[in-house]
Amino acid sequence: MHPDPQPGPEPVTHVIQRPQFVTQADGVVRAYYPGEDWWVTGSDRDDAITRLVAESQRRLQDPAYLDQHWETTLRHKQGLEHTPGFEVREISPTEYQRHTELLGEQLRDAGESG
């Protein structure tokens, strides 16, 4: 994960990881992000989503995880690694700001409905 972008004309490296869900034979739902070596389980999809978000937020506070994620991002960006569902793009700082604002709105909406 890159550090917060600074204002300026430089592009921002943006990673998109779409969560994946697998319902196991016992009904437990396993949730994970492509390219990661960790996952969570929940009693159903909603529970798995809640746990996935919580674990993601916890990991985003861990400098060692951020370093590891950034290294994975660079390998994908350089074409040295390819993981379906792990997308790396260069976007403008303005587009990045729009993405973060939208994410904030989505998180607020999810918190209000939960």
Side-chain angles (χ1 to χ4, degrees):
M1 188 110 5
H2 62 79
D4 288 334
Q6 300 301 310
E10 297 296 319
V12 176
T13 301
H14 180 64
V15 175
I16 299 171
Q17 291 173 281
R18 291 177 175 71
Q20 303 295 305
F21 302 92
V22 178
T23 302
Q24 300 175 357
D26 61 0
V28 170
V29 176
R30 180 179 176 199
Y32 65 94
Y33 286 108
E36 302 290 348
D37 63 356
W38 59 271
W39 65 88
V40 298
T41 58
S43 58
D44 58 25
R45 186 180 175 100
D46 287 341
D47 185 39
I49 290 169
T50 298
R51 291 170 186 255
L52 187 64
V53 169
E55 181 62 16
S56 297
Q57 290 173 343
R58 186 191 71 75
R59 287 176 181 266
L60 289 174
Q61 303 305 312
D62 178 2
Y65 171 77
L66 294 176
D67 288 345
Q68 175 189 353
H69 194 277
W70 181 242
E71 291 300 318
T72 300
T73 299
L74 289 177
R75 287 192 304 274
H76 280 80
K77 184 177 172 182
Q78 296 164 349
L80 301 174
E81 189 172 326
H82 176 75
T83 304
F86 190 105
E87 180 184 339
V88 178
R89 297 187 305 142
E90 295 289 322
I91 61 175
S92 71
T94 302
E95 189 176 357
Y96 179 82
Q97 184 64 36
R98 281 195 305 262
H99 279 283
T100 57
E101 289 169 2
L102 178 60
L103 178 59
E105 290 171 14
Q106 290 171 341
L107 290 172
R108 280 190 296 281
D109 291 346
E112 291 172 4
S113 66

